[in-house]
Amino acid sequence: MLMTYARGAWLATILAMVVIGVLQDRRVLGLLGMTLVVIALAVPSIGVRLSDLSETRKASGEPGNSLVWRIQYWQQVLTLQDNPLLGIGFKEVELTNAAAKAPHNDPIRVYVETGMIGLAAYVWLLVRLGVEARTSLRRAPRGLPRGLAVAFAASWTGFVVLSLTANVITQLVILWYFVTIVALATASSRFAPAEARTA
């Protein structure tokens, strides 16, 4: 994860670990803080990767960093939208835009390709998953079911954050892992014996 140099993935991982620390064991927060300090001191290239966020434009006129590029690209992608209700169709961003790249933002992609109807469904799905994560946390008894419920909440947090700067909904492997965690957490909290839930 460290050597991917993917800042969005770093942020999603850190926030997921914070969720684990808050919900499962506060010692995780201290360990996370110490780990971040050690990484910052031991791997100077991480600091370089983060420092280029202040560089908005290179001498060549190109975007100074990937975040600036993404924001510019999102603006281009949004101009493709000519049917706000239904969108322009699946995969059309990559097929229509001269850059031929995915939008690196799931909500923008969903809106442009499937319109307001698709965006409403996508937001509903994320909200529903968040509610289900909270329900799993409340129902789960101690032990493995509680750990799975915490994993669900943490992975949902990471999924939502990462989807703002990446193409998560088109990454089948990520979706399979996420769905597996959701299914295990939901089932283990829902079918736990009633006496275990109240303990």
Side-chain angles (χ1 to χ4, degrees):
M1 172 65 77
L2 191 62
M3 294 307 161
T4 64
Y5 291 100
R7 290 176 293 222
W10 293 347
L11 179 61
T13 302
I14 290 168
L15 291 177
M17 294 301 294
V18 168
V19 169
I20 292 169
V22 168
L23 296 176
Q24 187 74 18
D25 189 342
R26 303 263 186 219
R27 291 176 293 186
V28 170
L29 298 174
L31 183 61
L32 176 63
M34 287 187 300
T35 302
L36 293 175
V37 169
V38 168
I39 288 171
L41 294 173
V43 187
S45 58
I46 300 299
V48 172
R49 179 71 175 135
L50 294 173
S51 69
D52 81 342
L53 286 172
S54 61
E55 192 178 327
T56 58
R57 193 148 302 280
K58 294 181 180 173
S60 64
E62 294 293 314
N65 61 65
S66 61
L67 181 60
V68 172
W69 176 86
R70 276 179 168 81
I71 292 169
Q72 290 174 356
Y73 190 55
W74 296 337
Q75 292 167 343
Q76 291 174 20
V77 168
L78 286 168
T79 64
L80 299 174
Q81 175 57 280
D82 59 4
N83 185 343
L85 187 61
L86 299 174
I88 64 174
F90 292 119
K91 293 282 278 178
E92 284 299 311
V93 168
E94 293 167 65
L95 298 173
T96 307
N97 196 313
K101 293 183 186 286
H104 296 284
N105 182 301
D106 286 339
I108 288 175
R109 177 186 206 131
V110 169
Y111 169 66
V112 172
E113 293 185 353
T114 63
M116 291 303 296
I117 292 173
L119 183 60
Y122 179 69
V123 169
W124 174 84
L125 176 65
L126 291 181
V127 169
R128 189 69 196 109
L129 285 168
V131 169
E132 189 60 39
R134 190 171 142 209
T135 302
S136 293
L137 282 166
R138 274 196 317 232
R139 286 182 179 166
R142 296 174 68 107
L144 181 61
R146 173 71 183 178
L148 288 168
V150 170
F152 180 7
S155 60
W156 176 83
T157 301
F159 186 92
V160 170
V161 170
L162 192 56
S163 73
L164 297 176
T165 60
N167 305 302
V168 180
I169 60 173
T170 59
Q171 303 300 315
L172 191 57
V173 172
I174 293 173
L175 294 177
W176 275 114
Y177 281 118
F178 182 61
V179 167
T180 301
I181 292 169
V182 170
L184 289 172
T186 304
S188 68
S189 65
R190 188 167 288 168
F191 300 116
E195 61 274 11
R197 276 190 241 153
T198 56

